[in-house]
Amino acid sequence: MSELLNIYTMNAIKLNNRVVMAPMTRSRAYDLVPTDSMVTYYRQRATAGLIVSEGSPVSMEGRGQAYTPGIYTDEQIEGWKKVTEAVHAQGGKIFIQLWHVGRSSHVAHQPDGQAPVSSVSRVAEGCTTHIPGDNCQSVRVFHSQPRALATDEVPRVTQDFVRAAKNAIEAGFDGVEIHAANGYIFEQFINGGLNDRTDRYGGNIANRLRFTLETVDAISAAIGSHLTGIRIAPFGRLQDMHGFDDEQDTWLALGIELRRRHLAYVHLSDQESLGAQAIPAGFLTKFRKAYEGTLIVAGSYTQARAEMALREGFADLIAFGRPFIANPDLVKRMKNGWPMVVPDKDTFYTGRDAGYIDYPTYHVD
């Protein structure tokens, strides 16, 4: 019997299986509004128990990658409505990932060319992003020098997330996922190796978690905690994040706080698959004890590893990223033991429909 393909109820939301399509930036929204090709892309993959959309910036300030669809204008809401309607018509469920990259940006993305914002004014050394170029291509550039948010500005960013969450519900999403991983705005506050603030958002663990938890609470109050998820990457090193003394205690404290909030889920990402440090052995067991709600895990899972993780109780749902790029019918391939297609890395972020919606479903001879 396959645990992975069983029905799962997530805070009253019934999922057809335990397979999650992980959020993946695909950079196809050339005017920052979801396109008809995006509608096709998500509809093709709607047999996943849950789709988590690509990161969607909550504001112009939150942007940091070329051609990513936002959720802060009326046009974007209308574009996303077509996506959610297509997924629902296939019997699927879809959450939107709410995104603010913080310092992981460039002035070309920012309103009036202003500096990106962060917990501190320290640039992410050696890190790059993409800005729009000619003919819908992108240009790789180093991150711009950020500025530190003033204490009284932080709640304004939280409100940007609240507005985006309300927009997402208007657009028909089944819920939202707060992107608090990969070295973006929330992790820039959580990480004690970066955050050297001396106000209420810096210093001890409680202060470094404050911005994240204030945003979780504000979104939960606006749309319901049962429609609110969050993605984290304990021990993450992307975007020039570094280790710090109370690192494990920080993530376990966050797990305890999130347990108290009865969220839709926590989505835990192991960045080893992205070429970064792996989550230390034994940590997942500790986190599972700290956080007792629905837990999604991601990180280069195969079908066999996913089944084992579910059987051993390390997770409730398993997220798959790149396998969904080239296998829109991934769930059916898993169910039937059909072969998997390897995606073309050269088309992950470039091109239009090539490498995006032209991967075929499997046909039995």
Side-chain angles (χ1 to χ4, degrees):
M1 294 293 292
S2 171
E3 291 290 334
L4 190 60
L5 301 179
N6 283 347
I7 292 171
Y8 181 80
T9 301
M10 183 182 72
N11 262 6
I13 300 176
K14 183 179 178 181
L15 308 181
N16 291 329
N17 52 69
R18 296 177 182 235
V19 177
V20 176
M21 177 176 160
M24 293 177 286
T25 298
R26 301 305 310 275
S27 296
R28 258 67 174 192
Y30 299 108
D31 60 358
L32 311 183
V33 175
T35 65
D36 289 342
S37 291
M38 287 175 59
V39 174
T40 300
Y41 173 75
Y42 284 107
R43 182 178 61 239
Q44 289 174 336
R45 291 153 180 82
T47 52
L50 174 66
I51 292 174
V52 183
S53 82
E54 60 207 277
S56 189
V58 299
S59 63
M60 286 291 291
E61 177 192 81
R63 296 177 55 235
Q65 284 285 346
Y67 312 128
T68 53
I71 187 64
Y72 50 87
T73 71
D74 291 341
E75 292 78 12
Q76 290 165 347
I77 293 171
E78 292 304 311
W80 279 119
K81 281 182 180 179
K82 297 176 183 178
V83 172
T84 61
E85 289 169 357
V87 171
H88 291 153
Q90 299 297 313
K93 302 291 184 183
I94 182 168
F95 275 42
I96 188 173
Q97 188 183 68
L98 302 181
W99 196 19
H100 189 307
V101 303
R103 69 174 184 167
S104 301
S105 187
H106 186 273
V107 293
H109 290 301
Q110 296 298 306
D112 302 319
Q114 298 176 12
V117 300
S118 183
S119 58
V120 297
S121 58
R122 193 185 317 165
V123 72
E125 294 291 342
C127 294
T128 61
T129 187
H130 290 84
I131 61 175
D134 296 331
N135 300 317
C136 295
Q137 298 299 305
S138 61
V139 179
R140 190 173 184 178
V141 294
F142 286 103
H143 291 166
S144 296
Q145 176 69 42
R147 69 172 181 86
L149 284 162
T151 303
D152 61 1
E153 285 186 286
V154 178
R156 184 261 300 165
V157 179
T158 291
Q159 288 307 307
D160 287 341
F161 274 87
V162 171
R163 279 189 291 272
K166 291 180 178 178
N167 290 346
I169 299 304
E170 182 181 345
F173 283 97
D174 297 293
V176 307
E177 176 180 284
I178 301 165
H179 196 348
N182 294 12
Y184 297 127
I185 188 73
F186 293 109
E187 199 169 305
Q188 290 162 27
F189 278 79
I190 293 170
N191 186 290
L194 175 68
N195 182 352
D196 59 3
R197 298 172 70 101
T198 58
D199 64 358
R200 64 196 300 266
Y201 293 104
N204 61 36
I205 290 175
N207 282 355
R208 285 185 278 111
L209 295 180
R210 189 184 306 277
F211 173 36
T212 301
L213 293 174
E214 285 180 345
T215 304
V216 168
D217 290 342
I219 290 176
S220 295
I223 67 170
S225 62
H226 64 297
L227 303 183
T228 304
I230 185 170
R231 192 180 216 212
I232 60 174
F235 302 91
R237 298 292 183 261
L238 297 180
Q239 311 291 341
D240 197 30
M241 293 288 108
H242 298 277
F244 51 99
D245 289 340
D246 57 1
E247 191 164 12
Q248 176 172 270
D249 291 341
T250 297
W251 294 111
L252 293 179
L254 179 58
I256 291 170
E257 290 294 335
L258 295 174
R259 178 183 67 195
R260 295 168 178 162
R261 285 160 168 80
H262 306 290
L263 303 181
Y265 63 79
V266 169
H267 186 173
L268 195 153
S269 175
D270 189 328
Q271 295 180 347
E272 183 179 21
S273 63
L274 302 175
Q277 174 179 304
I279 292 176
F283 175 81
L284 187 56
T285 299
K286 295 177 182 178
F287 190 85
R288 191 62 159 156
K289 292 179 180 178
Y291 175 76
E292 297 174 347
T294 294
L295 182 64
I296 304 172
V297 296
S300 292
Y301 276 86
T302 62
Q303 184 175 357
R305 282 188 61 221
E307 295 282 7
M308 183 178 298
L310 294 175
R311 286 195 303 270
E312 295 180 352
F314 286 115
D316 301 293
L317 304 168
I318 309 295
F320 298 85
R322 293 182 180 183
F324 263 112
I325 291 178
N327 302 277
D329 55 344
L330 181 65
V331 174
K332 290 184 178 180
R333 289 176 186 252
M334 289 177 170
K335 182 177 180 180
N336 293 284
W338 295 337
M340 301 288 180
V341 176
V342 177
D344 177 8
K345 294 181 180 180
D346 291 338
T347 58
F348 280 3
Y349 311 110
T350 60
R352 292 186 180 271
D353 290 345
Y356 188 56
I357 59 173
D358 59 348
Y359 286 107
T361 56
Y362 187 79
H363 293 284
V364 179
D365 293 333

